[in-house]
mmCIF file of all heavy atoms in Angstrom:
data_model
loop_
_atom_site.group_PDB
_atom_site.id
_atom_site.type_symbol
_atom_site.label_atom_id
_atom_site.label_comp_id
_atom_site.label_asym_id
_atom_site.label_seq_id
_atom_site.Cartn_x
_atom_site.Cartn_y
_atom_site.Cartn_z
ATOM 1 N N ASN A 214 25.296 -82.652 214.765
ATOM 2 C CA ASN A 214 26.443 -81.903 214.252
ATOM 3 C C ASN A 214 27.706 -82.762 214.259
ATOM 4 O O ASN A 214 28.486 -82.733 213.307
ATOM 5 C CB ASN A 214 26.663 -80.638 215.100
ATOM 6 C CG ASN A 214 25.800 -79.487 214.632
ATOM 7 O OD1 ASN A 214 25.780 -79.162 213.456
ATOM 8 N ND2 ASN A 214 25.064 -78.884 215.533
ATOM 9 N N LYS A 215 27.888 -83.523 215.334
ATOM 10 C CA LYS A 215 29.037 -84.407 215.431
ATOM 11 C C LYS A 215 28.953 -85.507 214.376
ATOM 12 O O LYS A 215 29.940 -85.812 213.689
ATOM 13 C CB LYS A 215 29.093 -85.022 216.829
ATOM 14 C CG LYS A 215 30.279 -85.946 217.051
ATOM 15 C CD LYS A 215 30.261 -86.505 218.457
ATOM 16 C CE LYS A 215 31.412 -87.492 218.678
ATOM 17 N NZ LYS A 215 31.388 -88.068 220.039
ATOM 18 N N THR A 216 27.772 -86.102 214.240
ATOM 19 C CA THR A 216 27.573 -87.165 213.250
ATOM 20 C C THR A 216 27.765 -86.636 211.838
ATOM 21 O O THR A 216 28.391 -87.283 210.996
ATOM 22 C CB THR A 216 26.168 -87.770 213.387
ATOM 23 O OG1 THR A 216 25.966 -88.216 214.728
ATOM 24 C CG2 THR A 216 25.983 -88.953 212.446
ATOM 25 N N PHE A 217 27.227 -85.441 211.585
ATOM 26 C CA PHE A 217 27.357 -84.845 210.255
ATOM 27 C C PHE A 217 28.814 -84.574 209.916
ATOM 28 O O PHE A 217 29.258 -84.813 208.782
ATOM 29 C CB PHE A 217 26.546 -83.547 210.190
ATOM 30 C CG PHE A 217 26.609 -82.862 208.858
ATOM 31 C CD1 PHE A 217 25.927 -83.383 207.768
ATOM 32 C CD2 PHE A 217 27.369 -81.713 208.677
ATOM 33 C CE1 PHE A 217 25.981 -82.765 206.524
ATOM 34 C CE2 PHE A 217 27.440 -81.099 207.446
ATOM 35 C CZ PHE A 217 26.741 -81.619 206.370
ATOM 36 N N PHE A 218 29.584 -84.078 210.879
ATOM 37 C CA PHE A 218 31.010 -83.819 210.669
ATOM 38 C C PHE A 218 31.742 -85.110 210.302
ATOM 39 O O PHE A 218 32.518 -85.149 209.344
ATOM 40 C CB PHE A 218 31.613 -83.201 211.933
ATOM 41 C CG PHE A 218 33.095 -83.006 211.870
ATOM 42 C CD1 PHE A 218 33.648 -81.974 211.114
ATOM 43 C CD2 PHE A 218 33.952 -83.865 212.549
ATOM 44 C CE1 PHE A 218 35.029 -81.803 211.041
ATOM 45 C CE2 PHE A 218 35.327 -83.698 212.486
ATOM 46 C CZ PHE A 218 35.866 -82.668 211.733
ATOM 47 N N LEU A 219 31.492 -86.186 211.061
ATOM 48 C CA LEU A 219 32.132 -87.474 210.785
ATOM 49 C C LEU A 219 31.694 -88.017 209.425
ATOM 50 O O LEU A 219 32.492 -88.620 208.701
ATOM 51 C CB LEU A 219 31.778 -88.479 211.886
ATOM 52 C CG LEU A 219 32.367 -88.185 213.268
ATOM 53 C CD1 LEU A 219 31.788 -89.151 214.303
ATOM 54 C CD2 LEU A 219 33.886 -88.296 213.244
ATOM 55 N N LEU A 220 30.426 -87.788 209.085
ATOM 56 C CA LEU A 220 29.896 -88.257 207.808
ATOM 57 C C LEU A 220 30.575 -87.553 206.640
ATOM 58 O O LEU A 220 30.995 -88.195 205.674
ATOM 59 C CB LEU A 220 28.385 -88.018 207.760
ATOM 60 C CG LEU A 220 27.636 -88.473 206.500
ATOM 61 C CD1 LEU A 220 27.790 -89.971 206.295
ATOM 62 C CD2 LEU A 220 26.165 -88.095 206.605
ATOM 63 N N VAL A 221 30.727 -86.246 206.743
ATOM 64 C CA VAL A 221 31.388 -85.467 205.682
ATOM 65 C C VAL A 221 32.840 -85.902 205.525
ATOM 66 O O VAL A 221 33.317 -86.105 204.399
ATOM 67 C CB VAL A 221 31.308 -83.955 206.000
ATOM 68 C CG1 VAL A 221 32.204 -83.163 205.044
ATOM 69 C CG2 VAL A 221 29.876 -83.461 205.887
ATOM 70 N N ILE A 222 33.547 -86.067 206.640
ATOM 71 C CA ILE A 222 34.955 -86.505 206.599
ATOM 72 C C ILE A 222 35.063 -87.879 205.928
ATOM 73 O O ILE A 222 35.943 -88.110 205.083
ATOM 74 C CB ILE A 222 35.557 -86.565 208.017
ATOM 75 C CG1 ILE A 222 35.636 -85.165 208.633
ATOM 76 C CG2 ILE A 222 36.942 -87.214 207.994
ATOM 77 C CD1 ILE A 222 36.525 -84.200 207.889
ATOM 78 N N SER A 223 34.152 -88.804 206.294
ATOM 79 C CA SER A 223 34.187 -90.163 205.732
ATOM 80 C C SER A 223 33.911 -90.148 204.236
ATOM 81 O O SER A 223 34.579 -90.854 203.466
ATOM 82 C CB SER A 223 33.161 -91.044 206.439
ATOM 83 O OG SER A 223 33.441 -91.146 207.819
ATOM 84 N N VAL A 224 32.938 -89.353 203.804
ATOM 85 C CA VAL A 224 32.609 -89.258 202.377
ATOM 86 C C VAL A 224 33.778 -88.667 201.592
ATOM 87 O O VAL A 224 34.138 -89.164 200.514
ATOM 88 C CB VAL A 224 31.332 -88.409 202.164
ATOM 89 C CG1 VAL A 224 31.122 -88.107 200.678
ATOM 90 C CG2 VAL A 224 30.113 -89.121 202.723
ATOM 91 N N LEU A 225 34.389 -87.615 202.124
ATOM 92 C CA LEU A 225 35.539 -86.993 201.448
ATOM 93 C C LEU A 225 36.720 -87.962 201.355
ATOM 94 O O LEU A 225 37.400 -88.026 200.312
ATOM 95 C CB LEU A 225 35.957 -85.724 202.192
ATOM 96 C CG LEU A 225 34.988 -84.541 202.107
ATOM 97 C CD1 LEU A 225 35.468 -83.382 202.977
ATOM 98 C CD2 LEU A 225 34.811 -84.079 200.663
ATOM 99 N N LEU A 226 36.957 -88.720 202.423
ATOM 100 C CA LEU A 226 38.026 -89.726 202.396
ATOM 101 C C LEU A 226 37.744 -90.802 201.354
ATOM 102 O O LEU A 226 38.646 -91.231 200.626
ATOM 103 C CB LEU A 226 38.177 -90.361 203.778
ATOM 104 C CG LEU A 226 39.023 -89.607 204.806
ATOM 105 C CD1 LEU A 226 38.928 -90.291 206.165
ATOM 106 C CD2 LEU A 226 40.479 -89.528 204.355
ATOM 107 N N LEU A 227 36.488 -91.244 201.296
ATOM 108 C CA LEU A 227 36.099 -92.275 200.322
ATOM 109 C C LEU A 227 36.318 -91.782 198.897
ATOM 110 O O LEU A 227 36.901 -92.491 198.061
ATOM 111 C CB LEU A 227 34.637 -92.667 200.534
ATOM 112 C CG LEU A 227 34.069 -93.711 199.567
ATOM 113 C CD1 LEU A 227 34.801 -95.042 199.736
ATOM 114 C CD2 LEU A 227 32.572 -93.908 199.799
ATOM 115 N N ILE A 228 35.867 -90.558 198.605
ATOM 116 C CA ILE A 228 36.042 -89.980 197.267
ATOM 117 C C ILE A 228 37.525 -89.840 196.930
ATOM 118 O O ILE A 228 37.970 -90.176 195.828
ATOM 119 C CB ILE A 228 35.328 -88.613 197.169
ATOM 120 C CG1 ILE A 228 33.812 -88.795 197.271
ATOM 121 C CG2 ILE A 228 35.680 -87.917 195.853
ATOM 122 C CD1 ILE A 228 33.045 -87.499 197.427
ATOM 123 N N ASN A 229 38.280 -89.348 197.902
ATOM 124 C CA ASN A 229 39.731 -89.176 197.701
ATOM 125 C C ASN A 229 40.412 -90.513 197.402
ATOM 126 O O ASN A 229 41.245 -90.611 196.486
ATOM 127 C CB ASN A 229 40.339 -88.540 198.950
ATOM 128 C CG ASN A 229 41.859 -88.466 198.875
ATOM 129 O OD1 ASN A 229 42.413 -87.689 198.100
ATOM 130 N ND2 ASN A 229 42.532 -89.293 199.663
ATOM 131 N N ASN A 230 40.064 -91.546 198.163
ATOM 132 C CA ASN A 230 40.692 -92.856 197.970
ATOM 133 C C ASN A 230 40.313 -93.473 196.626
ATOM 134 O O ASN A 230 41.150 -94.107 195.969
ATOM 135 C CB ASN A 230 40.289 -93.792 199.109
ATOM 136 C CG ASN A 230 40.933 -93.399 200.424
ATOM 137 O OD1 ASN A 230 41.654 -92.414 200.494
ATOM 138 N ND2 ASN A 230 40.659 -94.141 201.478
ATOM 139 N N ILE A 231 39.062 -93.295 196.225
ATOM 140 C CA ILE A 231 38.618 -93.826 194.928
ATOM 141 C C ILE A 231 39.370 -93.134 193.793
ATOM 142 O O ILE A 231 39.800 -93.777 192.827
ATOM 143 C CB ILE A 231 37.093 -93.647 194.763
ATOM 144 C CG1 ILE A 231 36.345 -94.587 195.720
ATOM 145 C CG2 ILE A 231 36.674 -93.942 193.320
ATOM 146 C CD1 ILE A 231 34.844 -94.369 195.756
ATOM 147 N N ILE A 232 39.526 -91.813 193.894
ATOM 148 C CA ILE A 232 40.261 -91.060 192.865
ATOM 149 C C ILE A 232 41.722 -91.500 192.818
ATOM 150 O O ILE A 232 42.287 -91.720 191.737
ATOM 151 C CB ILE A 232 40.154 -89.542 193.126
ATOM 152 C CG1 ILE A 232 38.714 -89.067 192.910
ATOM 153 C CG2 ILE A 232 41.111 -88.769 192.211
ATOM 154 C CD1 ILE A 232 38.457 -87.637 193.328
ATOM 155 N N GLN A 233 42.332 -91.650 193.987
ATOM 156 C CA GLN A 233 43.741 -92.073 194.038
ATOM 157 C C GLN A 233 43.944 -93.444 193.409
ATOM 158 O O GLN A 233 44.968 -93.693 192.751
ATOM 159 C CB GLN A 233 44.218 -92.101 195.486
ATOM 160 C CG GLN A 233 44.528 -90.738 196.075
ATOM 161 C CD GLN A 233 45.379 -90.847 197.322
ATOM 162 O OE1 GLN A 233 46.444 -91.459 197.311
ATOM 163 N NE2 GLN A 233 44.901 -90.260 198.411
ATOM 164 N N LEU A 234 42.978 -94.333 193.613
ATOM 165 C CA LEU A 234 43.097 -95.693 193.073
ATOM 166 C C LEU A 234 43.216 -95.709 191.556
ATOM 167 O O LEU A 234 43.846 -96.604 190.981
ATOM 168 C CB LEU A 234 41.885 -96.532 193.493
ATOM 169 C CG LEU A 234 41.869 -97.048 194.932
ATOM 170 C CD1 LEU A 234 40.517 -97.659 195.262
ATOM 171 C CD2 LEU A 234 42.978 -98.077 195.153
#
Side-chain angles (χ1 to χ4, degrees):
N214 275 309
K215 181 180 177 181
T216 305
F217 180 73
F218 175 75
L219 292 172
L220 181 60
V221 170
I222 294 298
S223 299
V224 170
L225 290 176
L226 277 173
L227 178 64
I228 293 170
N229 174 71
N230 289 2
I231 290 173
I232 292 172
Q233 283 198 54
L234 283 171

